[in-house]
Amino acid sequence: MKHFSILLTLLFSQQVIAQNLYEGVPVFHGAKITGNFPNTEFLFTVPATGERPIEFTAQNLPQGLTIEPSTGIIRGLVKEKGSYTVKIFATNAKGRAGENLKIEIGDKLCLTPPMGWNSWNVFTNTLDEKLVMETADAIVSSGMRDLGYQYINMDDYWHDSTRAPDGKPVANPEKFPHGIKWLSDYVHSKGLKLGIYSDAGDKTCGKCFGGFQHEEIDAKVYAEWGIDLLKYDFCFVPFKKTEALSRYKKMGDALKGSGRSIVYSLCNWGLFNPWEWGESVGGNYWRTTPDIVDVWKGSPFWNGSFMSIMKKQTRLDKYAGPGHWNDPDMMIVGNYGKGKATGGGGKYKGMSDLEYQTHMSLWCMLNAPLLSSCDLRSMNEPTKNILLNPEILATSQDEKGEQAKLISKTNGIWLYQKNLSDGSVAVAVFNTSKSEKKFDLKSSALGLEGTYQAREVWKHIEAGILKDKIELTVKAHEALVLKLDKN
Ligand code: GAL
């Protein structure tokens, strides 16, 4: 029997890999499928890297849509329901690449886990127009848009002190001097989308006005403002399942009737098992846990360390699929304990870069929303390398939408597995212990027969052939991710 071991030495530094993304022929990334409601504004930026400038063209675009050649931004409105397969071409000085994009005009949004950013963990109440605009600029200049990051989500504290006399929501005019519509125009001009936050009670968790009994007017105004996503919280609501169901459904229905494709994110911290009913109230994803904090282990009161959050994801895989995802909370990659919310006011020192990489690996395996919450304007190189690794992102954005199953826990190693749409299998070998471990990855444990070519996703290297087993060495707190392709 032949054994192959993984070379843990990096053959190429990840920095070189990140640079190489912007050289050579165009390469497509991110979602290959996108959904929108009929007769509502459509916006999708084709994620692609390669030497710029790149010229984008499309064949078979449904009537009503156009593609902007210099950016790949597709806009417009499709009147009728339908499934369209569009062929996108990207051409630069080095060559030409083509790829199919499926556009589903129907009743589902979020056909792959949403990718983007959320203001809360780092900025809390200092959210304002300038931050949103600078973050949009940073998503473009860092290359995140080219890999599929799309949503800029404003969390709590965008509000004025009260609603308008007619009941309409109003943004704080000092923080948002040009108003939210102006801001969404800016965000949309970059091919990105704008999210907002409210609450199923009459106040948000930060005590701004909530959405209770204003669902229809709020959804209507959000649509007028050009909002693309709503995160709906659960503060100031009686802790009863019936209240959760009825209040979330009310807002879900209002969003559906708003005339806009607005993704709906439920945030009741996993109370009353939202994975069992989230989709029925119109939710596209639902929080499964209390708020994440920037620390590896322990369960600080109410909030969750990384490991306490991971423990709560077990056996939830069957509830996830295209259009409806489990949400273990925003990503803390690159926060290093500095987040106003996740740092606990200096209490939590943050995690190591390897731990942040593990966090990213597992969020991709779990098909969690990939909402970065660090300051995108000042990311260091390790943070960029974690957020901008195309191969790990591909395991998240796979069209099949299968959330990885935790298939075993042995000697501190948690083994995750999921099937991808091209017939390959993604595996994460997660060493939860404090010391480096050897681990035999066995075909039998994965239910696989025959031989598989193993590729190490983070390092972009071939890692040998899996026949009966591969011997792996996994560092403390590392999640080694392999893609197994049948030979
Ligand atoms: C919490 C929520 C956080 C953030 C915060 C805003 O309930 O879990 O993610 O949205 O409220 O006040």
Side-chain angles (χ1 to χ4, degrees), residues 13 63 116 180 268-269 361 383 401 415 430 459 476:
S13 85
Q63 205 187 355
I180 305 290
N268 78 334
W269 322 293
S361 299
T383 303
L415 180 62
F430 175 27
K459 295 174 187 162

Side-chain angles (χ1 to χ4, degrees), residues 237-274:
V237 180
F239 272 22
K240 286 191 192 144
K241 186 174 177 184
T242 46
E243 292 290 334
L245 277 156
S246 66
R247 293 185 187 214
Y248 276 114
K249 173 119 177 29
K250 190 111 206 275
M251 184 46 104
D253 290 346
L255 292 176
K256 287 236 163 72
S258 71
R260 204 171 158 83
S261 291
I262 301 181
V263 167
Y264 189 27
S265 143
L266 315 184
C267 175
N268 78 334
W269 322 293
L271 293 175
F272 322 117
N273 299 356

Side-chain angles (χ1 to χ4, degrees), residues 175-447:
K175 290 174 159 191
F176 296 91
H178 297 92
I180 305 290
K181 174 71 177 100
W182 181 90
L183 186 58
S184 83
D185 285 347
Y186 182 82
V187 169
H188 294 154
S189 74
K190 309 252 159 193
L192 302 172
K193 298 187 172 185
L194 188 64
I196 208 163
Y197 162 98
S198 186
D199 190 289
D202 54 11
K203 283 193 268 238
T204 68
C205 299
K207 302 208 171 92
C208 302
F209 55 81
F212 185 51
Q213 292 178 332
H214 291 82
E215 295 82 358
E216 269 162 32
I217 193 155
D218 282 358
K220 192 168 161 277
V221 172
Y222 295 158
E224 283 164 14
W225 284 349
I227 291 296
D228 303 292
L229 181 147
L230 172 68
K231 171 175 167 184
Y232 210 44
D233 217 329
F234 202 65
C235 282
F236 300 100
V237 180
F239 272 22
K240 286 191 192 144
K241 186 174 177 184
T242 46
E243 292 290 334
L245 277 156
S246 66
R247 293 185 187 214
Y248 276 114
K249 173 119 177 29
K250 190 111 206 275
M251 184 46 104
D253 290 346
L255 292 176
K256 287 236 163 72
S258 71
R260 204 171 158 83
S261 291
I262 301 181
V263 167
Y264 189 27
S265 143
L266 315 184
C267 175
N268 78 334
W269 322 293
L271 293 175
F272 322 117
N273 299 356
W275 42 90
E276 288 169 356
W277 47 264
E279 197 185 4
S280 72
V281 297
N284 294 110
Y285 57 98
W286 41 79
R287 282 273 297 279
T288 55
T289 64
D291 294 10
I292 193 168
V293 291
D294 203 357
V295 64
W296 181 260
K297 224 175 151 176
S299 237
F301 175 67
W302 178 238
N303 292 329
S305 62
F306 176 74
M307 278 309 293
S308 79
I309 294 222
M310 277 312 297
K311 284 181 191 153
K312 295 199 171 89
Q313 307 315 309
T314 312
R315 286 189 288 279
L316 297 187
D317 47 282
K318 68 174 183 210
Y319 299 101
H324 52 104
W325 312 104
N326 293 305
D327 174 14
D329 206 1
M330 295 165 238
M331 290 190 291
I332 46 171
V333 175
N335 280 358
Y336 302 105
K338 285 185 285 201
K340 271 188 97 178
T342 49
K347 203 161 145 205
Y348 307 116
K349 299 292 169 231
M351 309 206 298
S352 70
D353 288 327
L354 181 63
E355 289 168 342
Y356 286 138
Q357 177 182 302
T358 295
H359 170 26
M360 179 75 177
S361 299
L362 295 168
W363 260 230
C364 289
M365 289 296 288
L366 294 173
N367 286 8
L370 298 178
L371 298 172
S372 164
S373 70
C374 67
D375 187 342
L376 300 184
R377 302 167 303 177
S378 56
M379 286 184 284
N380 64 8
E381 282 306 309
T383 303
K384 281 190 204 162
N385 288 329
I386 292 168
L387 295 177
L388 289 156
N389 184 308
E391 289 192 37
I392 191 74
L393 287 169
T395 65
S396 147
Q397 295 300 300
D398 185 72
E399 182 181 337
K400 196 175 182 93
E402 192 175 298
Q403 175 174 330
K405 258 193 183 44
L406 177 59
I407 57 169
S408 63
K409 283 184 177 180
T410 23
N411 191 21
I413 303 272
W414 296 12
L415 180 62
Y416 290 87
Q417 176 179 9
K418 72 168 166 180
N419 299 308
L420 301 175
S421 55
D422 63 359
S424 67
V425 175
V427 169
V429 184
F430 175 27
N431 181 357
T432 62
S433 79
K434 280 195 205 143
S435 51
E436 185 168 290
K437 293 248 159 107
K438 300 246 181 264
F439 180 77
D440 284 349
L441 180 66
K442 295 184 178 148
S443 312
S444 56
L446 302 170

Side-chain angles (χ1 to χ4, degrees), residues 128-135 175-177 183 377:
D128 63 12
E129 174 184 289
K130 186 166 169 279
L131 174 66
V132 171
M133 293 172 74
E134 289 176 358
T135 300
K175 290 174 159 191
F176 296 91
L183 186 58
R377 302 167 303 177

